[in-house]
Amino acid sequence: MLKLDDHKVIFVAVGLIGVLVFASPTLGLVLRLPGGERFSELWILGPGHLVENYPYNVKEGENYLVYVGVGNQMGSSAYYVCYVKLRNQTEPLPNATSATPSPLSPLYEYQVFLQDGKSWEASLSFSFENVSFSSDQSFVGSITINGVGSSLGKRALWDAENKGYFYELFVELWIYSVESGSTQFHNRFVHFWLNMTRNT
Amino acid sequence: MAILVLTVLFCVVCRGSFFALAVYESSMKIEAADSAVRNAFVAVLDVEKVGGNVSGLMSELDGAGRLLAEANNAYRSGDLSGAEAKAENVRLIAESVRSEALELKSVAESQSQRAFWFTIVFSVAGSAVFVGVLILVWNKFKRGYAKRLMGMKPEVAADAEA
């Protein structure tokens, strides 16, 4: 048989546990536990919503389709802007080390408002117009993205090593910062190469 | 001949000025829409911070964002009138979202205040009742324990015999 003092210890322990249980909702309001890592996701999927069959050999007048997606894991609602840009081999991509965006002008944009834990996806269809070729370079006069045409005037030199006239389509993710009151580059971008070919 | 040249020149200059003015007006309208959307988003974030349900507001804002992107895309492609019309629409939606958010914020604040006090009262009263009941149980247990102890037969004699 346990001594009375041993029973007392059990009662005190039960009492403390009970008080903790009743106090836990208040403790939850007062104590802020560190949350998980906060981040945003950005992706491009092929026409079948899979990581395959991305457009590669493209030509004038054809329509191509990919999907752009964004996921919010920032711990609160977020306001994102996705800028679609196109570059040739010599023009700069965003710099992930210095977290600076590409200085190229956007051709198209998406604005997305997402609650924490939610994701968004939209189609990105594009076609090229006024494409011409000379001996060692190709010229793209304009691009139409989701039905909106923009003049482009971009040249790509013949790449003898990879055998093609290469352009790179990329999407930059920007996020609205309440502290600065402006939209800032979120240091995330996705890209894929396009080889401009002649119409046969 | 000179008058004709001057007239043509005047028309060219005027056309350029009108175009520049149209571009300026469109960009101002887009900027106003952009600013309205940002203000609305900040107001929605404030509601979220006090624990309000912002799914409806976020969905409205998403619609405004989509329209703002369309306005910017139209502006880039040179469709100034389309851009202006969309920007104006965006501004109206964003302002309505902002005023809804401000209303919701005061409701959410009072609800969260009530929930806060309810939680405090629950914790304090719950703990007090629990401790009180435990003390009563302890006292009863102590009496029962003492009674049981009194009723026990001493076994010391048996041990001594052995």
Coordinates of all heavy atoms in Angstrom, one line a residue, chain A residues 49-131:
Chain A
H49 N 0.0 19.2 -68.4 CA 0.1 19.5 -67.0 C 1.1 18.6 -66.3 O 1.1 18.2 -65.2 CB -1.3 19.2 -66.3 CG -2.2 20.4 -66.4 ND1 -2.1 21.5 -65.7 CD2 -3.3 20.5 -67.3 CE1 -3.1 22.3 -66.1 NE2 -3.8 21.7 -67.0
L50 N 2.2 18.2 -67.1 CA 3.2 17.3 -66.6 C 4.6 18.0 -66.9 O 4.6 18.9 -67.7 CB 3.2 15.9 -67.3 CG 2.0 15.1 -67.0 CD1 2.0 13.9 -67.9 CD2 1.9 14.7 -65.6
V51 N 5.6 17.5 -66.2 CA 7.0 18.1 -66.4 C 7.6 17.4 -67.6 O 8.6 16.8 -67.6 CB 7.8 17.9 -65.2 CG1 9.1 18.7 -65.2 CG2 7.1 18.2 -63.9
E52 N 6.9 17.5 -68.8 CA 7.4 17.0 -70.0 C 6.7 17.6 -71.2 O 5.7 18.4 -71.0 CB 7.2 15.5 -70.0 CG 5.7 15.1 -69.9 CD 5.5 13.6 -69.9 OE1 6.4 12.9 -69.5 OE2 4.3 13.2 -70.2
N53 N 7.3 17.4 -72.4 CA 6.7 17.9 -73.6 C 6.7 19.4 -73.7 O 5.7 20.0 -74.2 CB 5.3 17.3 -73.9 CG 5.3 15.8 -74.1 OD1 6.3 15.3 -74.5 ND2 4.3 15.2 -73.7
Y54 N 7.7 20.0 -73.1 CA 7.7 21.5 -73.2 C 8.0 21.9 -74.7 O 8.7 21.1 -75.4 CB 8.9 22.1 -72.4 CG 8.6 21.9 -70.9 CD1 9.2 20.9 -70.2 CD2 7.8 22.8 -70.2 CE1 9.0 20.8 -68.8 CE2 7.6 22.7 -68.9 CZ 8.2 21.7 -68.2 OH 7.9 21.5 -66.8
P55 N 7.5 23.0 -75.2 CA 7.8 23.3 -76.6 C 9.3 23.6 -76.7 O 9.9 24.1 -75.8 CB 7.0 24.7 -76.7 CG 6.1 24.8 -75.6 CD 6.6 23.9 -74.5
Y56 N 9.9 23.1 -77.8 CA 11.3 23.3 -78.0 C 11.6 23.9 -79.4 O 12.0 25.0 -79.6 CB 12.1 22.0 -77.7 CG 13.6 22.2 -77.9 CD1 14.3 23.0 -77.1 CD2 14.2 21.5 -79.0 CE1 15.7 23.2 -77.3 CE2 15.6 21.7 -79.2 CZ 16.3 22.5 -78.4 OH 17.6 22.7 -78.6
N57 N 11.3 23.1 -80.4 CA 11.4 23.6 -81.8 C 10.2 24.3 -82.2 O 9.1 23.7 -82.3 CB 11.6 22.4 -82.8 CG 13.0 21.8 -82.6 OD1 14.0 22.5 -82.4 ND2 13.0 20.5 -82.5
V58 N 10.3 25.7 -82.3 CA 9.1 26.5 -82.5 C 9.2 27.2 -83.9 O 10.4 27.3 -84.4 CB 8.9 27.5 -81.4 CG1 8.5 26.9 -80.1 CG2 10.1 28.4 -81.3
K59 N 8.1 27.5 -84.5 CA 8.1 28.3 -85.7 C 7.0 29.3 -85.8 O 6.1 29.3 -85.0 CB 8.1 27.3 -86.9 CG 6.9 26.4 -86.9 CD 7.1 25.4 -88.0 CE 6.0 24.3 -88.0 NZ 6.3 23.2 -88.9
E60 N 7.1 30.2 -86.7 CA 6.2 31.3 -86.9 C 4.8 30.8 -87.1 O 4.5 29.8 -87.8 CB 6.6 32.1 -88.1 CG 5.7 33.3 -88.3 CD 6.1 34.2 -89.5 OE1 7.0 33.8 -90.2 OE2 5.6 35.3 -89.6
G61 N 3.8 31.4 -86.4 CA 2.4 31.2 -86.6 C 1.8 30.0 -85.9 O 0.6 29.8 -85.8
E62 N 2.7 29.2 -85.2 CA 2.1 28.0 -84.5 C 1.8 28.5 -83.0 O 2.6 29.3 -82.5 CB 3.2 26.9 -84.4 CG 3.4 26.2 -85.7 CD 2.4 25.1 -85.9 OE1 2.1 24.4 -85.0 OE2 1.9 24.9 -87.1
N63 N 0.8 27.9 -82.4 CA 0.5 28.2 -81.1 C 1.1 27.1 -80.1 O 0.9 26.0 -80.4 CB -1.0 28.3 -80.9 CG -1.4 29.3 -79.9 OD1 -0.9 30.4 -79.8 ND2 -2.4 28.9 -79.0
Y64 N 1.7 27.6 -79.0 CA 2.3 26.6 -78.1 C 1.7 26.9 -76.7 O 1.3 28.0 -76.4 CB 3.8 26.8 -78.0 CG 4.4 26.6 -79.4 CD1 4.7 27.7 -80.2 CD2 4.7 25.3 -79.9 CE1 5.2 27.5 -81.5 CE2 5.2 25.1 -81.1 CZ 5.4 26.2 -81.9 OH 5.9 26.0 -83.2
L65 N 1.6 25.8 -75.9 CA 0.9 26.0 -74.6 C 1.8 25.4 -73.5 O 2.3 24.2 -73.6 CB -0.4 25.2 -74.7 CG -1.3 25.1 -73.4 CD1 -1.8 26.5 -73.0 CD2 -2.4 24.2 -73.6
V66 N 1.9 26.1 -72.4 CA 2.4 25.6 -71.2 C 1.5 26.1 -70.0 O 0.6 26.9 -70.3 CB 3.9 26.1 -70.9 CG1 4.9 25.4 -71.9 CG2 4.0 27.6 -71.0
Y67 N 1.8 25.6 -68.8 CA 1.0 26.1 -67.7 C 2.0 26.7 -66.6 O 3.0 26.1 -66.3 CB 0.2 25.0 -67.0 CG -0.9 24.5 -67.9 CD1 -0.7 23.5 -68.8 CD2 -2.1 25.2 -67.9 CE1 -1.8 23.1 -69.6 CE2 -3.2 24.8 -68.7 CZ -3.0 23.7 -69.6 OH -4.0 23.3 -70.4
V68 N 1.6 27.9 -66.1 CA 2.4 28.5 -65.0 C 1.6 28.3 -63.7 O 0.4 28.5 -63.7 CB 2.5 30.0 -65.3 CG1 3.3 30.7 -64.2 CG2 3.1 30.3 -66.7
G69 N 2.4 28.0 -62.6 CA 1.7 27.8 -61.3 C 2.5 28.5 -60.2 O 3.7 28.7 -60.3
V70 N 1.7 28.9 -59.2 CA 2.3 29.5 -58.0 C 1.7 28.9 -56.8 O 0.5 28.6 -56.7 CB 2.1 31.1 -58.0 CG1 2.6 31.7 -56.7 CG2 2.7 31.7 -59.2
G71 N 2.5 28.6 -55.7 CA 2.0 28.1 -54.5 C 2.5 29.0 -53.3 O 3.6 29.5 -53.3
N72 N 1.5 29.3 -52.4 CA 1.9 30.2 -51.3 C 2.0 29.3 -50.0 O 1.1 28.7 -49.5 CB 0.7 31.2 -51.1 CG 0.9 32.1 -49.9 OD1 2.0 32.1 -49.3 ND2 -0.1 32.8 -49.6
Q73 N 3.3 29.4 -49.5 CA 3.6 28.7 -48.2 C 4.2 29.8 -47.3 O 5.1 29.5 -46.5 CB 4.5 27.6 -48.3 CG 4.1 26.5 -49.4 CD 2.9 25.7 -48.9 OE1 2.5 25.7 -47.8 NE2 2.2 25.1 -49.9
M74 N 3.7 31.0 -47.4 CA 4.3 32.2 -46.7 C 3.8 32.4 -45.3 O 4.2 33.3 -44.6 CB 4.2 33.5 -47.5 CG 4.9 33.4 -48.8 SD 6.7 33.4 -48.6 CE 7.0 35.1 -48.2
G75 N 2.8 31.6 -44.9 CA 2.2 31.8 -43.5 C 1.1 32.8 -43.5 O 0.4 32.9 -42.4
S76 N 0.9 33.5 -44.6 CA -0.3 34.5 -44.6 C -0.6 34.7 -46.1 O 0.1 34.2 -47.0 CB 0.1 35.8 -44.0 OG 1.1 36.4 -44.7
S77 N -1.7 35.4 -46.4 CA -2.1 35.7 -47.7 C -1.0 36.5 -48.4 O -0.3 37.3 -47.8 CB -3.4 36.4 -47.8 OG -4.4 35.6 -47.3
A78 N -0.8 36.3 -49.7 CA 0.2 37.0 -50.5 C -0.3 37.5 -51.8 O -1.3 36.9 -52.4 CB 1.4 36.0 -50.7
Y79 N 0.3 38.5 -52.3 CA 0.0 39.2 -53.6 C 1.2 39.0 -54.5 O 2.2 39.6 -54.3 CB -0.3 40.6 -53.3 CG -0.5 41.6 -54.5 CD1 -0.8 41.1 -55.7 CD2 -0.5 42.9 -54.3 CE1 -1.0 41.9 -56.8 CE2 -0.7 43.8 -55.4 CZ -0.9 43.3 -56.6 OH -1.1 44.2 -57.7
Y80 N 1.0 38.1 -55.5 CA 2.1 37.8 -56.4 C 1.9 38.4 -57.8 O 0.7 38.6 -58.2 CB 2.2 36.3 -56.6 CG 2.6 35.5 -55.4 CD1 1.6 34.7 -54.7 CD2 3.9 35.5 -54.9 CE1 1.9 34.0 -53.6 CE2 4.2 34.7 -53.8 CZ 3.2 34.0 -53.2 OH 3.5 33.2 -52.1
V81 N 3.0 38.7 -58.4 CA 2.9 39.1 -59.8 C 3.9 38.3 -60.6 O 5.1 38.1 -60.1 CB 3.3 40.6 -60.0 CG1 3.2 41.0 -61.5 CG2 2.4 41.5 -59.2
C82 N 3.5 37.7 -61.7 CA 4.4 36.8 -62.5 C 4.6 37.6 -63.8 O 3.7 37.9 -64.5 CB 3.7 35.5 -62.9 SG 3.4 34.5 -61.5
Y83 N 5.9 37.8 -64.1 CA 6.2 38.5 -65.4 C 6.8 37.5 -66.4 O 7.7 36.8 -66.0 CB 7.3 39.6 -65.1 CG 6.7 40.8 -64.4 CD1 7.2 41.2 -63.1 CD2 5.7 41.6 -64.9 CE1 6.8 42.3 -62.5 CE2 5.2 42.7 -64.3 CZ 5.8 43.1 -63.1 OH 5.3 44.2 -62.4
V84 N 6.2 37.5 -67.6 CA 6.7 36.6 -68.6 C 7.7 37.5 -69.5 O 7.3 38.6 -69.9 CB 5.6 36.1 -69.5 CG1 6.1 35.2 -70.6 CG2 4.5 35.4 -68.6
K85 N 8.9 36.9 -69.7 CA 9.9 37.6 -70.5 C 10.6 36.7 -71.5 O 10.5 35.5 -71.3 CB 11.0 38.2 -69.5 CG 10.5 39.2 -68.5 CD 11.6 39.8 -67.6 CE 11.0 40.8 -66.7 NZ 12.1 41.4 -65.8
L86 N 11.2 37.2 -72.5 CA 11.9 36.4 -73.5 C 13.3 37.0 -73.7 O 13.4 38.2 -73.8 CB 11.1 36.4 -74.8 CG 11.6 35.5 -75.8 CD1 11.0 34.1 -75.7 CD2 11.3 36.0 -77.3
R87 N 14.3 36.2 -73.8 CA 15.6 36.7 -74.0 C 16.3 35.9 -75.1 O 15.9 34.7 -75.4 CB 16.4 36.7 -72.7 CG 16.8 35.3 -72.3 CD 17.8 35.3 -71.1 NE 18.4 34.0 -71.0 CZ 19.7 33.7 -71.2 NH1 20.5 34.7 -71.4 NH2 20.2 32.5 -71.0
N88 N 17.4 36.4 -75.7 CA 18.2 35.6 -76.5 C 19.4 35.2 -75.7 O 19.5 35.5 -74.5 CB 18.6 36.4 -77.8 CG 19.4 37.6 -77.5 OD1 20.0 37.8 -76.5 ND2 19.2 38.6 -78.4
Q89 N 20.4 34.5 -76.3 CA 21.5 33.9 -75.6 C 22.4 35.0 -74.9 O 23.0 34.7 -73.9 CB 22.5 33.1 -76.5 CG 21.8 32.0 -77.2 CD 21.7 32.4 -78.7 OE1 21.1 33.5 -79.0 NE2 22.1 31.6 -79.6
T90 N 22.4 36.2 -75.4 CA 23.3 37.2 -74.8 C 22.6 38.1 -73.7 O 23.3 38.8 -73.0 CB 23.8 38.2 -75.9 OG1 22.7 38.8 -76.6 CG2 24.7 37.4 -76.9
E91 N 21.3 38.1 -73.7 CA 20.6 38.9 -72.7 C 20.5 38.2 -71.3 O 20.5 37.0 -71.3 CB 19.2 39.2 -73.2 CG 19.2 40.2 -74.4 CD 17.9 40.4 -75.1 OE1 17.2 39.4 -75.2 OE2 17.6 41.5 -75.4
P92 N 20.5 39.0 -70.2 CA 20.6 38.4 -68.9 C 19.4 37.8 -68.4 O 18.3 38.3 -68.6 CB 21.1 39.6 -68.0 CG 20.5 40.8 -68.7 CD 20.5 40.5 -70.2
L93 N 19.6 36.7 -67.6 CA 18.5 36.1 -66.8 C 18.5 36.8 -65.5 O 19.4 37.5 -65.2 CB 18.8 34.6 -66.6 CG 18.4 33.5 -67.6 CD1 18.9 32.2 -67.2 CD2 16.8 33.5 -67.6
P94 N 17.5 36.5 -64.6 CA 17.6 37.1 -63.3 C 18.8 36.5 -62.6 O 19.3 35.4 -62.9 CB 16.3 36.6 -62.6 CG 15.4 36.2 -63.7 CD 16.2 35.8 -64.8
N95 N 19.4 37.2 -61.6 CA 20.5 36.8 -60.9 C 20.1 36.3 -59.5 O 19.7 37.1 -58.6 CB 21.5 37.9 -60.7 CG 22.9 37.5 -60.2 OD1 22.9 36.5 -59.4 ND2 23.9 38.1 -60.6
A96 N 20.2 35.0 -59.3 CA 19.7 34.4 -58.1 C 20.6 34.7 -56.9 O 20.1 34.8 -55.8 CB 19.6 32.9 -58.2
T97 N 21.9 34.9 -57.2 CA 22.8 35.2 -56.1 C 22.6 36.6 -55.5 O 22.5 36.8 -54.3 CB 24.3 35.1 -56.6 OG1 24.4 34.0 -57.4 CG2 25.3 35.1 -55.5
S98 N 22.4 37.6 -56.4 CA 22.2 39.0 -55.9 C 20.7 39.3 -55.8 O 20.3 40.4 -55.4 CB 22.8 40.0 -56.8 OG 22.3 39.8 -58.1
A99 N 19.8 38.3 -56.1 CA 18.4 38.4 -56.0 C 17.9 39.6 -56.8 O 17.0 40.4 -56.4 CB 17.9 38.5 -54.6
T100 N 18.4 39.8 -58.0 CA 18.0 40.8 -58.9 C 17.2 40.3 -60.1 O 17.7 39.2 -60.7 CB 19.1 41.7 -59.4 OG1 20.2 40.9 -59.9 CG2 19.7 42.6 -58.3
P101 N 16.2 40.9 -60.6 CA 15.4 40.4 -61.7 C 16.2 40.7 -63.0 O 17.1 41.5 -63.0 CB 14.1 41.2 -61.6 CG 14.5 42.5 -61.0 CD 15.6 42.2 -60.0
S102 N 15.7 40.1 -64.1 CA 16.3 40.4 -65.4 C 15.9 41.9 -65.8 O 14.7 42.2 -65.5 CB 15.8 39.4 -66.4 OG 16.0 39.9 -67.7
P103 N 16.8 42.6 -66.4 CA 16.4 44.0 -66.7 C 15.5 44.1 -67.9 O 15.0 45.2 -68.3 CB 17.7 44.7 -67.0 CG 18.6 43.6 -67.4 CD 18.2 42.4 -66.7
L104 N 15.2 43.0 -68.6 CA 14.3 43.0 -69.8 C 12.9 43.4 -69.4 O 12.4 43.1 -68.3 CB 14.3 41.6 -70.4 CG 15.6 41.1 -70.9 CD1 15.5 39.6 -71.4 CD2 16.1 41.9 -72.1
S105 N 12.2 44.0 -70.3 CA 10.8 44.4 -70.1 C 9.9 43.2 -70.1 O 10.1 42.4 -71.0 CB 10.4 45.4 -71.1 OG 11.2 46.5 -71.1
P106 N 8.9 43.2 -69.3 CA 7.9 42.1 -69.3 C 7.1 42.1 -70.6 O 6.8 43.2 -71.0 CB 7.1 42.2 -68.1 CG 7.3 43.6 -67.6 CD 8.6 44.1 -68.2
L107 N 6.7 41.0 -71.1 CA 5.8 40.9 -72.3 C 4.4 40.7 -71.9 O 3.5 41.1 -72.6 CB 6.3 39.8 -73.2 CG 7.7 39.9 -73.7 CD1 8.1 38.5 -74.3 CD2 7.9 41.0 -74.7
Y108 N 4.3 40.1 -70.7 CA 2.9 39.7 -70.2 C 3.0 39.6 -68.7 O 4.1 39.3 -68.2 CB 2.5 38.4 -70.9 CG 1.0 38.0 -70.7 CD1 0.1 38.5 -71.5 CD2 0.7 37.2 -69.6 CE1 -1.3 38.2 -71.3 CE2 -0.7 36.9 -69.4 CZ -1.6 37.4 -70.3 OH -2.9 37.1 -70.1
E109 N 1.9 39.7 -68.0 CA 1.9 39.5 -66.6 C 0.7 38.9 -66.0 O -0.4 39.0 -66.7 CB 2.2 40.9 -65.9 CG 1.0 41.8 -65.9 CD 1.2 43.1 -65.1 OE1 2.2 43.8 -65.5 OE2 0.4 43.4 -64.2
Y110 N 0.8 38.2 -64.9 CA -0.3 37.7 -64.2 C -0.3 38.3 -62.8 O 0.8 38.5 -62.2 CB -0.2 36.2 -64.0 CG -0.2 35.3 -65.2 CD1 1.1 35.0 -65.8 CD2 -1.3 34.8 -65.8 CE1 1.1 34.2 -67.0 CE2 -1.3 34.0 -66.9 CZ -0.1 33.7 -67.5 OH 0.0 32.9 -68.6
Q111 N -1.4 38.6 -62.2 CA -1.5 39.1 -60.8 C -2.3 38.1 -60.1 O -3.4 37.8 -60.5 CB -2.1 40.5 -60.8 CG -1.4 41.5 -61.6 CD -1.2 42.8 -60.9 OE1 -1.7 43.0 -59.8 NE2 -0.6 43.8 -61.6
V112 N -1.8 37.6 -59.0 CA -2.4 36.5 -58.2 C -2.5 36.8 -56.7 O -1.5 37.2 -56.2 CB -1.6 35.2 -58.4 CG1 -2.4 34.0 -57.8 CG2 -1.2 34.9 -59.9
F113 N -3.7 36.6 -56.2 CA -3.8 36.8 -54.7 C -4.1 35.4 -54.2 O -5.0 34.7 -54.6 CB -5.0 37.7 -54.4 CG -4.7 39.1 -54.7 CD1 -4.9 39.6 -56.0 CD2 -4.2 40.0 -53.8 CE1 -4.7 40.9 -56.3 CE2 -3.9 41.3 -54.1 CZ -4.2 41.8 -55.3
L114 N -3.2 34.9 -53.2 CA -3.4 33.6 -52.7 C -3.4 33.6 -51.2 O -2.5 34.2 -50.6 CB -2.2 32.7 -53.2 CG -2.2 32.1 -54.6 CD1 -1.0 31.3 -54.9 CD2 -3.4 31.2 -54.7
Q115 N -4.3 32.8 -50.7 CA -4.2 32.6 -49.2 C -3.1 31.5 -48.9 O -2.7 30.8 -49.8 CB -5.6 32.0 -48.7 CG -6.6 33.1 -48.6 CD -7.9 32.6 -48.0 OE1 -8.8 32.1 -48.7 NE2 -8.0 32.7 -46.7
D116 N -2.7 31.5 -47.6 CA -1.6 30.6 -47.2 C -2.1 29.2 -47.5 O -3.2 28.8 -47.3 CB -1.4 30.8 -45.7 CG -0.2 29.9 -45.3 OD1 0.7 29.8 -46.0 OD2 -0.4 29.3 -44.2
G117 N -1.1 28.4 -48.1 CA -1.4 27.0 -48.4 C -2.1 26.7 -49.7 O -2.3 25.6 -50.0
K118 N -2.5 27.8 -50.4 CA -3.2 27.6 -51.6 C -2.3 27.7 -52.8 O -1.2 28.3 -52.7 CB -4.3 28.7 -51.7 CG -5.4 28.6 -50.7 CD -6.5 27.7 -51.1 CE -7.4 27.2 -50.0 NZ -8.3 28.2 -49.4
S119 N -2.7 27.2 -54.0 CA -1.9 27.3 -55.2 C -2.8 27.8 -56.3 O -4.1 27.7 -56.3 CB -1.2 26.0 -55.5 OG -2.2 25.0 -55.8
W120 N -2.2 28.2 -57.4 CA -2.8 28.8 -58.6 C -2.1 28.3 -59.8 O -0.9 28.1 -59.8 CB -2.8 30.3 -58.4 CG -3.0 31.1 -59.7 CD1 -4.2 31.6 -60.2 CD2 -2.1 31.5 -60.7 NE1 -4.0 32.2 -61.4 CE2 -2.7 32.2 -61.7 CE3 -0.7 31.3 -60.8 CZ2 -2.1 32.7 -62.8 CZ3 0.0 31.8 -61.9 CH2 -0.7 32.6 -62.9
E121 N -2.9 28.1 -60.9 CA -2.3 27.7 -62.1 C -3.1 28.3 -63.3 O -4.3 28.4 -63.2 CB -2.3 26.2 -62.3 CG -1.2 25.7 -63.2 CD -1.1 24.1 -63.1 OE1 -0.4 23.7 -62.2 OE2 -1.7 23.4 -63.9
A122 N -2.3 28.8 -64.3 CA -3.0 29.4 -65.5 C -2.3 29.0 -66.7 O -1.1 28.6 -66.7 CB -3.0 30.9 -65.3
S123 N -3.0 29.0 -67.8 CA -2.3 28.6 -69.1 C -1.5 29.8 -69.6 O -1.8 31.0 -69.4 CB -3.4 28.2 -70.1 OG -4.3 29.3 -70.3
L124 N -0.5 29.5 -70.3 CA 0.4 30.4 -71.0 C 0.6 30.0 -72.4 O 1.4 29.1 -72.7 CB 1.7 30.6 -70.3 CG 2.9 31.3 -71.0 CD1 2.5 32.7 -71.3 CD2 4.1 31.3 -70.1
S125 N -0.2 30.5 -73.4 CA -0.1 30.1 -74.7 C 0.6 31.2 -75.5 O 0.4 32.4 -75.2 CB -1.5 29.8 -75.4 OG -2.2 31.0 -75.5
F126 N 1.5 30.9 -76.4 CA 2.2 31.9 -77.1 C 2.5 31.5 -78.6 O 2.5 30.3 -78.9 CB 3.6 32.2 -76.4 CG 4.4 31.0 -76.2 CD1 5.4 30.7 -77.1 CD2 4.3 30.1 -75.2 CE1 6.3 29.6 -77.0 CE2 5.1 29.0 -75.0 CZ 6.1 28.7 -75.9
S127 N 2.7 32.5 -79.4 CA 3.0 32.2 -80.8 C 3.9 33.4 -81.3 O 3.9 34.5 -80.7 CB 1.8 32.1 -81.6 OG 1.1 33.3 -81.6
F128 N 4.7 33.1 -82.3 CA 5.6 34.1 -82.8 C 5.2 34.6 -84.2 O 4.7 33.8 -85.0 CB 7.0 33.6 -82.9 CG 7.6 33.2 -81.6 CD1 7.6 31.8 -81.2 CD2 8.1 34.1 -80.7 CE1 8.1 31.4 -79.9 CE2 8.6 33.7 -79.5 CZ 8.6 32.4 -79.1
E129 N 5.3 35.9 -84.4 CA 5.0 36.4 -85.8 C 6.2 37.2 -86.3 O 7.0 37.6 -85.5 CB 3.7 37.3 -85.7 CG 2.4 36.6 -85.3 CD 2.2 36.4 -83.8 OE1 2.7 37.3 -83.1 OE2 1.6 35.4 -83.4
N130 N 6.1 37.5 -87.6 CA 7.1 38.3 -88.3 C 8.5 37.7 -88.0 O 9.4 38.4 -87.6 CB 7.1 39.7 -87.8 CG 5.7 40.3 -88.1 OD1 5.1 40.1 -89.1 ND2 5.2 41.1 -87.1
V131 N 8.7 36.4 -88.2 CA 10.0 35.8 -88.0 C 10.7 35.7 -89.3 O 10.1 35.4 -90.4 CB 9.8 34.3 -87.5 CG1 11.1 33.6 -87.3 CG2 9.0 34.3 -86.2

